[in-house]
Amino acid sequence: MEKNKTKVTFKGNPVTLVGKEVSQGEKAPDFTVLSSGLEPVSLESYKGKVKVIAVYPSIDTGICQAQNRRFNQEADKLKDVAVLSISVDLPFAQSRFCAAEGLNSIVTLSDHKNLDFGLKYGFVIEELRLLSRGTIIIDKEDKIRYVEYVPEVTQEPDYEKALKALKEVL
Protein backbone atom coordinates (compact mmCIF):
# COMPACT_ATOMS: atom_id res chain seq x y z
CA MET A 1 0.00 0.00 0.00
CA GLU A 2 1.17 3.49 -0.85
CA LYS A 3 2.57 5.58 2.00
CA ASN A 4 1.58 9.24 2.10
CA LYS A 5 4.53 11.64 2.25
CA THR A 6 2.69 14.18 4.42
CA LYS A 7 4.41 14.60 7.78
CA VAL A 8 1.93 14.06 10.59
CA THR A 9 2.44 13.47 14.30
CA PHE A 10 0.18 12.09 17.00
CA LYS A 11 1.00 13.48 20.46
CA GLY A 12 4.35 14.59 19.04
CA ASN A 13 5.29 11.18 17.65
CA PRO A 14 5.51 10.64 13.86
CA VAL A 15 2.84 8.40 12.31
CA THR A 16 2.59 6.85 8.86
CA LEU A 17 -0.31 7.84 6.63
CA VAL A 18 -1.39 5.15 4.19
CA GLY A 19 -3.16 5.75 0.89
CA LYS A 20 -2.87 8.25 -1.91
CA GLU A 21 -2.37 11.83 -0.78
CA VAL A 22 -4.78 14.12 -2.64
CA SER A 23 -3.96 17.63 -3.84
CA GLN A 24 -5.76 20.81 -4.69
CA GLY A 25 -6.81 20.92 -8.33
CA GLU A 26 -7.27 17.20 -8.92
CA LYS A 27 -10.54 15.35 -9.39
CA ALA A 28 -11.90 14.05 -6.09
CA PRO A 29 -11.84 10.23 -6.03
CA ASP A 30 -15.20 8.58 -5.43
CA PHE A 31 -15.46 6.52 -2.26
CA THR A 32 -17.99 4.45 -0.35
CA VAL A 33 -18.66 4.80 3.38
CA LEU A 34 -21.60 3.91 5.64
CA SER A 35 -24.42 6.21 6.67
CA SER A 36 -25.94 6.27 10.15
CA GLY A 37 -28.48 3.75 8.80
CA LEU A 38 -25.66 1.39 7.68
CA GLU A 39 -26.39 2.15 4.02
CA PRO A 40 -23.56 2.71 1.53
CA VAL A 41 -22.99 6.37 0.66
CA SER A 42 -20.56 7.67 -1.94
CA LEU A 43 -19.20 11.02 -3.04
CA GLU A 44 -21.48 10.56 -6.06
CA SER A 45 -24.43 10.76 -3.62
CA TYR A 46 -23.68 14.50 -3.31
CA LYS A 47 -23.17 15.20 -7.02
CA GLY A 48 -23.75 18.83 -7.97
CA LYS A 49 -23.16 20.14 -4.45
CA VAL A 50 -20.16 21.76 -2.87
CA LYS A 51 -18.79 19.33 -0.29
CA VAL A 52 -16.86 19.97 2.90
CA ILE A 53 -15.28 16.80 4.26
CA ALA A 54 -14.27 17.03 7.90
CA VAL A 55 -11.97 14.10 8.72
CA TYR A 56 -11.22 13.08 12.32
CA PRO A 57 -9.94 10.06 14.32
CA SER A 58 -12.68 9.40 16.91
CA ILE A 59 -15.86 11.08 18.09
CA ASP A 60 -14.93 10.01 21.63
CA THR A 61 -12.22 12.67 22.00
CA GLY A 62 -12.66 16.32 22.94
CA ILE A 63 -10.84 17.71 19.88
CA CYS A 64 -12.93 15.61 17.49
CA GLN A 65 -16.11 16.67 19.28
CA ALA A 66 -15.06 20.34 19.02
CA GLN A 67 -14.34 19.88 15.31
CA ASN A 68 -17.80 18.42 14.71
CA ARG A 69 -19.49 21.17 16.72
CA ARG A 70 -17.65 23.86 14.74
CA PHE A 71 -18.43 22.36 11.33
CA ASN A 72 -22.07 21.90 12.36
CA GLN A 73 -22.18 25.57 13.39
CA GLU A 74 -20.75 26.58 10.00
CA ALA A 75 -23.08 24.20 8.15
CA ASP A 76 -26.08 25.92 9.78
CA LYS A 77 -25.15 29.06 7.78
CA LEU A 78 -24.60 27.36 4.41
CA LYS A 79 -27.04 26.60 1.62
CA ASP A 80 -26.53 23.84 -0.92
CA VAL A 81 -23.34 22.64 0.78
CA ALA A 82 -22.97 19.09 2.10
CA VAL A 83 -20.83 18.96 5.24
CA LEU A 84 -19.65 15.36 5.55
CA SER A 85 -18.01 14.32 8.80
CA ILE A 86 -15.98 11.13 8.34
CA SER A 87 -14.20 8.88 10.86
CA VAL A 88 -13.78 5.16 11.47
CA ASP A 89 -16.19 5.31 14.40
CA LEU A 90 -19.19 3.04 14.20
CA PRO A 91 -22.25 4.85 12.83
CA PHE A 92 -24.03 4.26 16.15
CA ALA A 93 -21.41 6.24 18.11
CA GLN A 94 -21.49 9.09 15.58
CA SER A 95 -25.30 9.24 15.72
CA ARG A 96 -25.38 9.09 19.51
CA PHE A 97 -22.97 12.02 19.79
CA CYS A 98 -24.84 14.15 17.24
CA ALA A 99 -28.20 13.44 18.90
CA ALA A 100 -26.84 14.32 22.35
CA GLU A 101 -25.29 17.54 21.03
CA GLY A 102 -28.15 18.54 18.71
CA LEU A 103 -25.90 18.50 15.65
CA ASN A 104 -28.31 18.33 12.72
CA SER A 105 -26.47 20.13 9.93
CA ILE A 106 -23.54 17.76 9.37
CA VAL A 107 -23.78 14.30 7.85
CA THR A 108 -21.75 11.73 9.80
CA LEU A 109 -20.30 8.91 7.75
CA SER A 110 -18.30 5.89 8.86
CA ASP A 111 -15.23 4.54 7.07
CA HIS A 112 -14.82 1.67 9.56
CA LYS A 113 -15.77 -1.15 7.20
CA ASN A 114 -13.28 -0.86 4.32
CA LEU A 115 -11.30 2.35 4.90
CA ASP A 116 -12.27 3.22 1.33
CA PHE A 117 -12.30 6.98 1.91
CA GLY A 118 -9.17 6.95 4.08
CA LEU A 119 -7.10 4.98 1.59
CA LYS A 120 -8.26 6.93 -1.47
CA TYR A 121 -7.51 10.25 0.26
CA GLY A 122 -4.41 9.23 2.23
CA PHE A 123 -5.78 9.74 5.75
CA VAL A 124 -5.32 6.25 7.29
CA ILE A 125 -2.91 6.20 10.24
CA GLU A 126 -1.18 2.86 9.73
CA GLU A 127 -0.17 2.43 13.37
CA LEU A 128 -3.68 3.04 14.77
CA ARG A 129 -6.17 2.15 11.98
CA LEU A 130 -7.77 5.55 12.57
CA LEU A 131 -8.13 8.46 10.19
CA SER A 132 -5.87 11.44 10.64
CA ARG A 133 -7.41 14.89 11.05
CA GLY A 134 -8.06 17.15 8.09
CA THR A 135 -10.41 19.09 5.86
CA ILE A 136 -11.20 18.83 2.16
CA ILE A 137 -13.32 21.24 0.09
CA ILE A 138 -14.71 19.84 -3.16
CA ASP A 139 -16.55 22.01 -5.68
CA LYS A 140 -19.74 21.17 -7.61
CA GLU A 141 -17.69 19.61 -10.42
CA ASP A 142 -15.91 17.30 -7.92
CA LYS A 143 -12.60 19.13 -8.14
CA ILE A 144 -10.59 19.40 -4.92
CA ARG A 145 -10.29 23.09 -4.08
CA TYR A 146 -8.68 22.82 -0.63
CA VAL A 147 -7.01 20.08 1.38
CA GLU A 148 -5.44 20.14 4.84
CA TYR A 149 -3.70 17.25 6.52
CA VAL A 150 -3.45 18.65 10.06
CA PRO A 151 0.23 18.23 11.03
CA GLU A 152 -0.53 17.27 14.66
CA VAL A 153 -3.54 14.98 15.03
CA THR A 154 -4.35 16.30 18.51
CA GLN A 155 -4.91 19.84 17.15
CA GLU A 156 -7.97 21.26 15.40
CA PRO A 157 -7.92 22.04 11.68
CA ASP A 158 -7.40 25.56 10.36
CA TYR A 159 -11.08 26.54 10.15
CA GLU A 160 -10.36 30.03 8.82
CA LYS A 161 -8.37 28.76 5.81
CA ALA A 162 -11.00 26.11 5.08
CA LEU A 163 -13.85 28.62 5.30
CA LYS A 164 -11.98 31.08 3.08
CA ALA A 165 -11.50 28.34 0.46
CA LEU A 166 -15.16 27.40 0.79
CA LYS A 167 -16.31 30.99 0.20
CA GLU A 168 -14.23 31.07 -2.99
CA VAL A 169 -16.23 28.19 -4.50
CA LEU A 170 -19.69 29.37 -3.45
Side-chain angles (χ1 to χ4, degrees), residues 5 7-8 10 14 19 31-32 38-39 41 60 64 72 77 83 88 96 108 118 133 162 166:
K5 295 189 181 350
K7 304 289 186 224
V8 172
F10 181 75
F31 58 83
T32 302
L38 301 178
E39 298 296 324
V41 174
D60 290 322
C64 297
N72 188 78
K77 306 172 197 170
V83 180
V88 295
R96 183 180 62 247
T108 55
R133 188 176 315 284
L166 177 60

Side-chain angles (χ1 to χ4, degrees), residues 49-51 137-145 169:
K49 288 190 168 206
V50 171
K51 287 136 319 254
I137 310 281
I138 302 171
D139 69 18
K140 291 180 181 183
E141 288 78 37
D142 290 337
K143 184 183 211 180
I144 297 173
R145 301 295 294 269
V169 299

Side-chain angles (χ1 to χ4, degrees), residues 30-84:
D30 199 12
F31 58 83
T32 302
V33 290
L34 292 176
S35 71
S36 59
L38 301 178
E39 298 296 324
V41 174
S42 68
L43 185 66
E44 182 73 17
S45 304
Y46 299 94
K47 189 168 186 66
K49 288 190 168 206
V50 171
K51 287 136 319 254
V52 175
I53 302 178
V55 190
Y56 61 99
S58 174
I59 200 63
D60 290 322
T61 68
I63 301 292
C64 297
Q65 292 171 358
Q67 180 179 349
N68 276 279
R69 286 184 198 106
R70 176 66 187 269
F71 276 114
N72 188 78
Q73 176 186 6
E74 297 301 332
D76 282 342
K77 306 172 197 170
L78 302 170
K79 293 184 188 212
D80 204 35
V81 175
V83 180
L84 313 176

